[in-house]
């Protein structure tokens, strides 16, 4: 609404969608010992292939009350298809330098090929069917990324002290293309970034150790984020890619102390994580006179996140009974940035997530495990429509698993969730019951499993999403 309470726009939509997907993934590792002093050659291969097809129906009416924008009336069918083929190969040669000290020479190649097709058809009244092709709401995109990573590393493997340092270069040949309204759009880039992996661990005794690790990470932009053509599928929001986008780049640090007896499954541990972004990909949205949004993407720096995690566990066993219980918590702080109507804003959030659990095992026949999780979130904003947000979530869960009769497993997850981060008028809590039955064949070499979600049909997916341009319940 404007200052006088007049609507800028109004939208009403009924939509339906269904998808079918197939995924195949595999990995294999080969090792060849070349001598008894630690000379070795290894080869790792992996793949992840998937296909997805979808069908959607959209019937929407969008009315604009101010400015010159025409009303948008849609009765359409969307047919989509996508494929993703990812392959990775790493070859590494290890040469001993001294007692417990080794030199690694390695090479990794990653291949990522993705295609996405969207065809939209308008409803034809005369033919009473969706046969009129809508080229403004249809597109075809293709992304091909080949990343070569040569690296060299040195590591030390002692009884108490272990450390390693790998350094190299990531060379990503990035190609994204799209066909939209008979026009071809293409972005071809070569991204260069350092490859750094470092870690150190000191064992105080068999159950206690201190560790630290550092990684420099990069991730590529998506085709949607980088291809500079308009996507008009949302009548109130247009997306345009930015061909000048850089990769997301960040430093990741982790430090921890562990005092844990794995045989007794008892002890405690504490870990700290930190991520500092040299470059993060964020959205930038501008409103027109009808409050219709146009969103593109920019790189931004100065974003970081910190977190601290700790837990304590205890286990007892007597006769056929095993009792385990524990408590834990995770505290995180995030300093985020973004753009709302072209203005840079800051969002600083603190989240605390304590939890507690207890479980009882009766031999190999039955497991009962209740648990409780609490989430507390506080976010403060600068240069934003909100000053702050506060909400809590509660989750109580009861998990049961039976292993009788032989080869048959029956598992149940029964839980209750309450979320205050939902506006009044929406259902804030629900019960959830999922169940699964599996049977092992051929001496447990093959397992068939059937799982049913939300038997009580209470989870209607209510949630609140706060982003730079809207608050959606």
């Amino acid at each position: 609404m404007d200052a006088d309470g007049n609507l800028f726009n109004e939208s009403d939509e009924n939509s339906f969608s269904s998808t079918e997907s197939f995924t195949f993934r595999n990995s294999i590792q080969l090792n060849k010992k070349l001598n008894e002093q630690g000379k070795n050659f290894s080869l790792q291969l992996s793949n992840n292939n998937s296909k997805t097809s979808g069908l959607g129906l959209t019937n929407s009416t969008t009315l604009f009350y101010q400015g010159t924008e025409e009303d948008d009336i849609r009765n359409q069918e969307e047919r989509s298809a996508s494929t993703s083929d990812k392959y990775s190969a790493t070859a590494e040669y290890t040469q001993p330098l001294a007692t417990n000290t080794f030199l690694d020479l390695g090479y990794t190649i990653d291949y990522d090929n993705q295609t996405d097709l969207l065809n939209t058809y308008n409803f034809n009244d005369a033919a009473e069917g969706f046969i009129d092709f809508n080229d403004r709401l249809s597109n075809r995109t293709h992304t091909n990324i080949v990343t070569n990573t040569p690296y060299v590393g040195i590591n030390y493997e002692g009884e108490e002290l272990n450390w390693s340092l790998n350094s190299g270069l990531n060379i990503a040949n990035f190609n994204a293309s799209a066909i939209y309204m008979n026009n071809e759009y293409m972005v071809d880039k070569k991204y260069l970034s350092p490859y750094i992996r470092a870690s150190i661990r000191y064992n105080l005794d068999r159950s206690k150790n201190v560790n630290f690790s550092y990684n420099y990470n990069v991730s590529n932009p998506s085709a949607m984020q980088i291809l500079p053509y308009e996507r008009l599928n949302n009548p109130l929001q247009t997306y345009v890619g930015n061909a000048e986008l850089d990769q997301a780049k960040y430093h990741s640090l982790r430090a921890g102390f562990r005092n844990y007896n794995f045989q007794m499954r008892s002890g405690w541990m504490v870990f700290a994580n930190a991520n500092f972004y040299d470059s993060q990909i964020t959205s930038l949205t501008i409103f027109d006179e009808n409050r219709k949004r146009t969103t593109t993407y920019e790189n931004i720096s100065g974003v970081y996140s910190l977190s601290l995690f700790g837990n304590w566990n205890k286990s007892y066993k007597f006769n056929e009974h095993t009792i385990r219980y524990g408590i834990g918590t995770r505290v995180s702080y995030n300093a985020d940035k973004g753009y709302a109507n072209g203005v840079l804003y800051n969002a600083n959030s603190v989240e605390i997530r304590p939890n507690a659990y207890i479980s009882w095992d009766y031999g190999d026949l039955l497991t009962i495990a209740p648990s409780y999780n609490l989430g507390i979130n506080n976010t403060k904003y600068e240069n934003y429509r909100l000053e702050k947000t506060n909400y809590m979530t509660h989750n109580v869960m009861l998990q049961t698993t039976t292993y009788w009769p032989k080869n048959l497993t029956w598992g149940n997850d029964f839980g209750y969730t309450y979320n205050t981060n939902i506006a009044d008028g929406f259902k804030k809590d629900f019960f959830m019951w999922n169940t699964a039955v599996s049977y092992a064949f051929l001496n447990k070499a093959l397992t068939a499993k059937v799982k049913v979600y939300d038997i009580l049909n209470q989870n209607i997916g209510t949630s609140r999403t706060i982003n730079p341009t809207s608050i959606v319940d």
Side-chain angles (χ1 to χ4, degrees):
M1 294 183 182
D2 60 17
D4 297 323
N6 300 312
L7 286 175
F8 286 105
N9 58 65
E10 182 178 10
S11 182
D12 181 72
E13 177 180 317
N14 291 314
S15 61
F16 165 83
S17 65
S18 63
T19 59
E20 293 183 359
S21 62
F22 169 81
T23 301
F24 172 74
R25 60 174 61 95
N26 194 27
S27 64
I28 185 172
Q29 180 170 341
L30 305 173
N31 286 282
K32 175 63 176 178
K33 182 186 290 187
L34 302 178
N35 65 18
E36 298 299 325
Q37 287 72 46
K39 184 183 292 188
N40 186 74
F41 176 79
S42 66
L43 179 65
Q44 299 180 49
L45 305 171
S46 65
N47 69 282
N48 191 336
N49 309 92
S50 64
K51 291 183 178 181
T52 303
S53 60
L55 178 66
L57 298 173
T58 299
N59 195 323
S60 67
T61 300
T62 303
L63 306 177
F64 297 97
Y65 298 114
Q66 301 185 34
T68 59
E69 186 80 17
E70 294 184 359
D71 295 338
D72 191 316
I73 312 298
R74 302 184 182 188
N75 185 13
Q76 299 166 336
E77 179 185 79
E78 301 96 12
R79 305 170 192 172
S80 61
S82 63
T83 64
S84 176
D85 297 293
K86 298 181 180 181
Y87 301 91
S88 180
T90 299
E92 185 175 280
Y93 170 76
T94 300
Q95 172 67 42
L97 298 179
T99 303
N100 299 332
T101 306
F102 305 90
L103 176 70
D104 297 326
L105 300 174
Y107 197 99
T108 297
I109 181 169
D110 296 305
Y111 176 85
D112 185 352
N113 190 76
Q114 298 185 48
T115 62
D116 295 280
L117 173 66
L118 174 63
N119 288 331
T120 302
Y121 298 87
N122 295 332
F123 186 80
N124 185 297
D125 293 325
E128 296 184 348
F130 297 96
I131 62 172
D132 296 335
F133 183 71
N134 188 325
D135 58 352
R136 296 180 68 248
L137 302 181
S138 302
N139 60 69
R140 179 194 297 268
T141 63
H142 174 238
T143 307
N144 183 269
I145 308 170
V146 179
T147 305
N148 294 273
T149 309
Y151 64 90
V152 60
I154 186 170
N155 63 84
Y156 177 83
E157 301 176 0
E159 293 185 3
E160 295 181 345
L161 180 65
N162 293 268
W163 58 266
S164 66
L165 174 63
N166 289 340
S167 179
L169 182 66
N170 269 318
I171 308 168
N173 296 295
F174 180 96
N175 178 272
S177 60
I179 297 176
Y180 175 64
M181 295 186 65
N182 295 320
N183 295 316
E184 185 173 4
Y185 300 82
M186 181 175 293
V187 174
D188 196 355
K189 289 181 174 289
K190 176 176 284 188
Y191 293 119
L192 301 178
S193 60
Y195 173 84
I196 305 174
R197 300 287 186 270
S199 66
I200 184 171
R201 186 182 71 211
Y202 184 75
N203 299 315
L204 301 172
D205 56 35
R206 295 185 61 182
S207 62
K208 300 176 185 177
N209 67 69
V210 180
N211 61 80
F212 173 82
S213 65
Y214 167 82
N215 295 327
Y216 187 79
N217 301 300
V218 297
S219 60
N220 296 304
S222 67
M224 179 179 178
Q225 292 171 332
I226 203 170
L227 288 170
Y229 73 96
E230 292 185 336
R231 286 166 290 280
L232 309 171
N233 301 84
N234 186 332
L236 289 175
Q237 186 162 17
T238 299
Y239 292 91
V240 183
N242 178 5
E244 302 303 318
L245 271 185
D246 196 2
Q247 294 172 306
K249 305 175 182 180
Y250 64 98
H251 309 264
S252 179
L253 298 94
R254 178 181 174 90
F257 175 79
R258 185 196 305 270
N259 181 5
Y260 193 82
N261 187 320
F262 286 92
Q263 183 176 2
M264 300 297 297
R265 300 181 69 174
S266 299
W268 63 277
M269 62 190 73
V270 60
F271 290 94
N273 296 288
N275 295 312
F276 300 93
Y277 281 84
D278 292 333
S279 172
Q280 187 183 57
I281 298 174
T282 189
S283 61
L284 187 154
T285 299
I286 301 294
F287 291 89
D288 66 9
E289 66 275 9
N290 290 296
R291 300 300 289 175
K292 185 176 179 179
R293 296 165 286 176
T294 298
T295 297
T296 187
Y297 301 90
E298 296 285 344
N299 291 108
I300 198 169
S301 61
V303 176
Y304 64 92
S305 63
L306 309 171
S307 62
L308 181 66
F309 168 80
N311 65 22
W312 174 84
N313 304 275
K314 195 70 175 178
S315 176
Y316 293 101
K317 186 172 183 179
F318 54 96
N319 300 326
E320 296 294 323
H321 307 275
T322 302
I323 303 294
R324 302 184 183 94
Y325 55 91
I327 57 174
T329 190
R330 184 178 185 272
V331 181
S332 60
Y333 177 83
N334 292 283
D336 201 3
K337 295 181 180 181
Y339 291 94
N341 204 20
V343 178
L344 182 67
Y345 75 89
N346 297 312
N348 300 313
S349 63
V350 176
E351 186 176 40
I352 304 174
R353 301 190 67 87
N355 64 84
Y357 80 94
I358 186 170
S359 69
W360 168 56
D361 295 342
Y362 180 68
D364 297 326
L365 298 177
L366 174 66
T367 298
I368 299 177
S371 62
Y372 171 72
N373 293 270
L374 171 66
I376 304 171
N377 183 282
N378 177 275
T379 303
K380 294 183 178 180
Y381 299 92
E382 297 178 4
N383 298 327
Y384 192 64
R385 65 175 63 190
L386 297 176
E387 292 185 0
K388 63 180 180 179
T389 60
N390 299 283
Y391 64 88
M392 298 176 63
T393 58
H394 302 267
N395 178 260
V396 180
M397 178 71 71
L398 176 63
Q399 297 174 300
T400 65
T401 308
T402 61
Y403 306 93
W404 184 89
K406 185 179 180 180
N407 295 324
L408 182 69
T409 302
W410 180 29
N412 290 275
D413 298 339
F414 186 79
Y416 171 77
T417 299
Y418 180 82
N419 185 1
T420 65
N421 190 33
I422 298 175
D424 294 337
F426 290 86
K427 186 174 175 60
K428 298 186 178 184
D429 65 337
F430 62 89
F431 289 92
M432 173 74 82
W433 180 19
N434 303 325
T435 188
V437 178
S438 64
Y439 191 83
F441 301 88
L442 303 177
N443 198 26
K444 297 186 178 181
L446 178 67
T447 301
K449 186 175 184 178
V450 177
K451 189 165 187 176
V452 181
Y453 294 91
D454 194 15
I455 294 176
L456 302 178
N457 196 30
Q458 287 201 13
N459 184 11
I460 59 175
T462 53
S463 63
R464 165 167 286 193
T465 301
I466 300 176
N467 60 45
T469 59
S470 63
I471 300 173
V472 180
D473 288 298

